[in-house]
Amino acid sequence: MKSQSQPLGLVIEGNSTHSAVLRLSALAEELGPVKSVAKRVARRLSNLLHVGYAVDTYEDLQDARIILLRVPDASLSRIVDELCASALRIKELMFVLCESWLPSDALQLLCDRGAQVATVMSAPSSQDKCFVVEGQLPVVRQVKRFVERSNARTLEIRVGTKHLYFAAKVLATALPVPFLADAQTALRASGITGRQLYSLLEEMDKEMFRTFLNGARLTWGGPLTECSPEIAESHLRRLGASNPKLADDLKEQLAWARRKSHSQRKSAARQEQA
């Protein structure tokens, strides 16, 4: 075992192959004790990561200032109970739940014993690595420093607001998928296929986002704003004749979007009057 103390410890279970946190470059210099369901498992995982050293017990994590928890959600409650039942001086430690949608209050039992806690998970980024951090400020600061030492960025959200980040990601990345599938169907039926199809879809999405960023949040519409209502209705009628299912889907979503837009305009007007 290494004699010098290390700032980071790791409790790890389950599949960590795709862990963005465990691929951060600073981990190689800062990780010390690694605890898993058995020492042989911890040793194997440490060897795979090429960092840290395996330990037998939770007490062997005491030299670490910050302990990363990279475990399945279903195992977290048991592991927290085991940490609380151990002889660790918990009030001296910080615990960071990695790559889980559980909020920091899932570590409340550790807080009750004096620990400070946070969560960290990767965020979408096309340029550099980015992570969302939520939790108590002292731990958040430490996590941000660790991430930034790995030349990655952090986005801090207020403690207790992970559900809002969850909602935003569902709205931005999950709900549009069925619409993109319908758009793909329509383009294929029009004769556009292969790489041209996906390139056009990508450019359409970029155009939508540029329009949104330029302030057109309440005046959406795309082609609906580029032609008269009569022409738009003519296209919808022809779509209904050639592809009734797609036409029904489009009309249903347009009706919902118009109701939503109307509600947003009313809300914006009330805020201006306040």
Side-chain angles (χ1 to χ4, degrees), residues 137-155:
L137 187 57
V139 201
V140 168
R141 286 174 176 165
Q142 292 295 325
V143 173
K144 291 175 70 174
R145 288 173 187 149
F146 166 66
V147 169
E148 288 164 4
R149 283 195 293 273
S150 300
N151 297 316
R153 293 183 297 115
T154 58
L155 302 171

Side-chain angles (χ1 to χ4, degrees), residues 10-158:
L10 173 64
V11 177
I12 183 169
E13 291 186 12
N15 187 348
S16 59
T17 305
H18 302 294
S19 171
V21 170
L22 298 184
R23 290 198 298 271
L24 288 171
S25 59
L27 200 72
E29 299 177 358
E30 301 180 28
L31 183 64
V34 178
K35 171 74 172 71
S36 191
V37 290
K39 190 172 183 179
R40 59 177 175 77
V41 178
R43 185 179 296 111
R44 177 171 57 82
L45 292 169
S46 177
N47 290 338
L48 285 172
L49 294 169
H50 304 293
V51 293
Y53 54 91
V55 297
D56 286 305
T57 69
Y58 288 113
E59 288 80 3
D60 292 324
L61 297 168
Q62 191 69 62
D63 285 342
R65 183 183 180 192
I66 303 171
I67 298 175
L68 306 178
L69 304 176
R70 192 13 172 110
V71 301
D73 290 347
S75 301
L76 182 63
S77 179
R78 168 181 57 80
I79 289 169
V80 168
D81 288 343
E82 291 172 354
L83 286 164
C84 291
S86 75
L88 270 176
R89 297 188 298 277
I90 289 177
K91 65 180 180 180
E92 300 176 4
L93 299 172
M94 297 178 176
F95 292 87
V96 181
L97 180 60
C98 301
E99 294 162 315
S100 167
W101 278 107
L102 288 170
S104 57
D105 59 15
L107 305 176
Q108 185 59 46
L109 286 178
L110 295 170
C111 286
D112 294 342
R113 285 159 175 78
Q116 295 179 316
V117 301
T119 71
V120 60
M121 62 192 308
S122 60
S125 177
S126 59
Q127 297 178 349
D128 50 10
K129 291 181 180 178
C130 184
F131 295 84
V132 169
V133 189
E134 176 257 352
Q136 293 172 297
L137 187 57
V139 201
V140 168
R141 286 174 176 165
Q142 292 295 325
V143 173
K144 291 175 70 174
R145 288 173 187 149
F146 166 66
V147 169
E148 288 164 4
R149 283 195 293 273
S150 300
N151 297 316
R153 293 183 297 115
T154 58
L155 302 171
E156 180 184 345
I157 60 175
R158 291 194 296 272

